[in-house]
Amino acid sequence: MRNKVYSFVEELLKDVENTQNENVKNVAFVVADSIQNGGLIQAFGAGHSYSGALELTHRAGGFIPSKNIKEPALGAYESIEGVGTNFMKKVDVRVNDIVFVISNSGRNPLPIEVAIVAKRKGAKVVAVTSLEASKQLKSKHSSGKNLYEIADYVLDNRVPEGDACIEIPGLNVKACGMSSISTAVILEAVVCRAIEILLDRGIVPPIYKSQNIDGGREYNEAIEKEYIERLYRI
């Protein structure tokens, strides 16, 4: 018998491609504009959503001008209002940056406040969320808004409410969260399309080589020099 995860992921990714292609293209143009204008790609995620931020930033095959927004408590206080606002006071976000905020439910104050402050600082904000599920959930933030209502752009990971997707006989809850899988694919699709856009504009985009291949580290460090003032700042 085939493992249920493989079948579910195949259908999930078909759904992502069919429904998110236009959104991916629109966000890719904003990414390309950001890179062309000297901005950074920044990404934030609390809890398991942190894996999405890692997928987008500072990795082989991705853009060199990119960084994680690393909240020191790793999302332990994501449901407490004010934590994100105070934390973001120290985060270097500028005009021409694009900030991806990854939150499956989109209802907790921490990612909502990261998005609010990033927009206030002049950056474009992309929400990566489970859109239909989030629409059914009441915000835990005093604004009354969920993340998708604050962001400039939305990428929908298409997973159902609660994230877990596989029903297994004998188990009274669903198993196997899928948001990390579809989020990773959506974000890599944005990267791919943004690279194509920049090349069409005659710009060779600054893309990381793997540091595990000969010459990779030296190649990356040579390009990083252009962005070093910002890459490792909070």
Side-chain angles (χ1 to χ4, degrees):
M1 183 176 68
R2 192 184 191 205
N3 192 301
K4 294 180 179 181
V5 166
Y6 301 129
S7 299
F8 190 92
V9 169
E10 286 176 358
E11 293 303 313
L12 175 62
L13 296 186
K14 286 179 184 177
D15 184 37
V16 167
E17 181 178 9
N18 291 335
T19 63
Q20 300 305 298
N21 192 49
E22 190 69 18
N23 293 334
V24 165
K25 182 179 71 173
N26 292 338
V27 172
F29 272 103
V30 181
V31 169
D33 291 343
S34 175
I35 298 298
Q36 185 173 353
N37 293 321
L40 289 188
I41 299 168
Q42 303 201 46
F44 173 83
H48 74 272
S49 295
Y50 183 60
S51 65
L54 290 176
E55 187 67 30
L56 187 62
T57 60
H58 203 73
R59 63 152 300 157
F63 283 99
I64 289 177
S66 65
K67 70 176 185 180
N68 291 313
I69 297 176
K70 297 179 180 179
E71 189 269 317
L74 299 177
Y77 309 111
E78 69 174 337
S79 62
I80 300 176
E81 189 160 342
V83 171
T85 299
N86 282 303
F87 162 65
M88 284 294 290
K89 290 177 181 178
K90 298 179 180 179
V91 177
D92 179 25
V93 174
R94 305 181 190 179
V95 175
N96 291 326
D97 289 353
I98 178 169
V99 177
F100 289 76
V101 183
I102 302 145
S103 173
N104 198 52
S105 71
R107 71 187 308 202
N108 288 308
L110 178 54
I112 289 171
E113 291 176 354
V114 169
I116 289 171
V117 178
K119 287 189 69 172
R120 192 180 299 154
K121 292 186 176 186
K124 296 292 185 184
V125 172
V126 180
V128 186
T129 191
S130 176
L131 184 58
E132 292 308 312
S134 187
K135 287 180 178 179
Q136 305 305 313
L137 297 171
K138 183 179 179 181
S139 176
K140 294 182 178 180
H141 191 260
S142 60
S143 68
K145 294 182 178 180
N146 283 346
L147 178 63
Y148 74 90
E149 298 173 282
I150 294 166
D152 299 294
Y153 302 89
V154 176
L155 296 171
D156 184 0
N157 64 31
R158 304 294 290 176
V159 302
E161 182 180 349
D163 199 354
C165 297
I166 306 298
E167 294 183 352
I168 301 174
L171 188 67
N172 63 357
V173 295
K174 289 184 179 181
C176 305
M178 294 292 173
S179 63
S180 296
I181 294 171
S182 57
T183 291
V185 171
I186 292 169
L187 293 176
E188 291 295 358
V190 169
V191 169
C192 182
R193 186 70 186 99
I195 290 171
E196 293 170 341
I197 292 167
L198 287 166
L199 289 171
D200 287 344
R201 295 175 180 177
I203 300 168
V204 178
I207 300 297
Y208 276 113
K209 285 187 177 182
S210 171
Q211 297 193 154
N212 295 313
I213 63 174
D214 291 342
R217 182 179 296 276
E218 293 78 10
Y219 175 90
N220 294 337
E221 288 178 351
I223 300 176
E224 277 187 338
K225 290 178 181 178
E226 183 178 345
Y227 307 98
I228 202 70
E229 179 211 351
R230 298 197 62 202
L231 285 184
Y232 299 101
R233 296 182 63 178
I234 292 178

